[in-house]
Amino acid sequence: MSKMESSGLFNCAIRHVKSAHNGVAYSCDICGKSFTQKSSLQIHIDSVHNGVTHSCDKCGKSFIQKSSLQTHIESMHNGTKHMRSSCGKTFPYKSNLEKHIDSIHNVIKHACDICGKKFSQKNLLKTHIDRIHNGVTYPCGTCEKIFGQRANLKAHIAMAHRSTL
C-alpha cells in the first residue's frame, strides 16, 4: 500500500475525480436534492428528513453535524482560540481566523460578475447576488414583513414574535 493510499488522500482524490470530473452525484430520494459526496447526502437525510441533530450538553445549542458540535464545544466552552500572530486578533473558530486573514492580510476580494461590486468574503458576495440581482427575500410567517437577509428575519422573529414561539 502506498503512502498516499494509507494516508486517506487516495480516497479523497477518488471522490473528487468522481464528483468533479465524472459527474457522479448522489440524489436524495425524498426531495431530489443532489450532492457530490455520499456522506453529504446522508447528513442531509438525517438532518432534514429524519430530524437528527446533535445538542450541546452545556448550552443546548443544536447542530446538524457532529463535527460542528465538537468545534462549538472546543471554542465556546473549552476556551480554544485561534490567533493571528502578526496582528494579535483571536477568534473562537478557525474558519473566522481564515476569513480574517484572507480579507484583511491577503486582501482577497470576491467580485460580483453582474455589477462588479467587491466583497471581502464569499458569503457576502452570495448574499448580495441573492438579494440585489435575484430578488431573494425572507418573509415573516407570522406578520407581513419581508426581509432581504435571513439573519434580519431571525432577529425580527426573536424580538417581535418571541411570545408566539
Side-chain angles (χ1 to χ4, degrees):
M1 184 182 287
S2 75
K3 200 175 211 176
M4 184 176 163
E5 288 175 312
S6 65
S7 70
L9 289 175
F10 183 74
N11 289 334
C12 186
I14 293 293
R15 282 193 308 270
H16 167 76
V17 168
K18 282 181 178 179
S19 66
H21 303 290
N22 296 344
V24 173
Y26 303 93
S27 295
C28 177
D29 292 335
I30 300 166
C31 69
K33 189 168 182 178
S34 192
F35 298 88
T36 57
Q37 294 185 16
K38 195 184 270 187
S39 60
S40 298
L41 170 61
Q42 189 58 56
I43 289 167
H44 164 78
I45 291 169
D46 286 347
S47 62
V48 174
H49 301 298
N50 297 335
V52 174
T53 58
H54 305 277
S55 296
C56 178
D57 292 338
K58 296 184 180 184
C59 69
K61 189 168 182 176
S62 288
F63 299 87
I64 292 170
Q65 295 184 29
K66 195 170 192 174
S67 61
S68 297
L69 169 61
Q70 291 165 337
T71 301
H72 163 79
I73 291 169
E74 283 297 315
S75 300
M76 305 314 272
H77 301 298
N78 295 347
T80 300
K81 298 284 181 210
H82 303 277
M83 186 176 85
R84 172 70 177 181
S85 57
S86 65
C87 69
K89 283 200 83 146
T90 60
F91 301 88
Y93 296 104
K94 187 177 180 184
S95 61
N96 295 134
L97 170 61
E98 290 165 352
K99 286 177 188 173
H100 166 78
I101 291 168
D102 282 348
S103 63
I104 304 300
H105 300 285
N106 296 340
V107 195
I108 291 177
K109 297 289 180 190
H110 304 277
C112 176
D113 292 336
I114 301 165
C115 68
K117 189 170 181 178
K118 293 181 180 177
F119 298 87
S120 61
Q121 295 175 19
K122 201 182 285 186
N123 65 315
L124 297 176
L125 169 61
K126 184 188 179 322
T127 300
H128 162 77
I129 291 169
D130 284 350
R131 188 170 148 217
I132 302 301
H133 301 298
N134 295 337
V136 174
T137 59
Y138 301 91
C140 178
T142 307
C143 69
E144 302 296 314
K145 289 201 173 196
I146 297 173
F147 298 88
Q149 294 182 20
R150 182 179 284 122
N152 292 344
L153 170 61
K154 285 183 177 182
H156 162 76
I157 291 169
M159 294 301 293
H161 305 298
R162 62 179 151 207
S163 63
T164 61
L165 295 178

